[in-house]
Amino acid sequence: MSRRTTIALITLLCLLNAGVLVLNLSQPSRAAVRGMSYQDLLRDPDFTRAVKTIAEQCSVNVDLARLKCQGG
């Protein structure tokens, strides 16, 4: 692929990405927990407690995108 074609392709992809962000074509996420929305899960005390419990037992290596938990 020539340099000119590569630059044109990258430019096109960047413009497409910007267009999707501006138009917000993405679908709202739905949680796999009883079909609850993200906001519903934030308000759910049981879910919040469970996440906090797991988070306290784990550490994140951001450089490797890895989650390491005690006992696992």
Side-chain angles (χ1 to χ4, degrees):
M1 198 178 324
S2 72
R3 180 177 168 88
R4 187 174 190 167
T5 304
T6 302
I7 291 173
L9 182 60
I10 290 172
T11 302
L12 177 66
L13 291 173
C14 287
L15 289 173
L16 180 63
N17 190 29
V20 168
L21 289 174
V22 168
L23 297 175
N24 193 16
L25 297 176
S26 60
Q27 297 292 320
S29 63
R30 297 294 294 174
V33 181
R34 296 183 302 199
M36 298 170 73
S37 71
Y38 175 76
Q39 292 300 324
D40 293 337
L41 287 175
L42 286 178
R43 286 186 225 111
D44 186 313
D46 293 330
F47 181 79
T48 306
R49 190 176 324 111
V51 171
K52 286 180 181 178
T53 300
I54 292 169
E56 289 171 353
Q57 298 170 2
C58 300
S59 62
V60 178
N61 184 333
V62 180
D63 296 328
L64 300 176
R66 300 273 179 182
L67 183 67
K68 183 176 182 180
C69 299
Q70 295 173 358

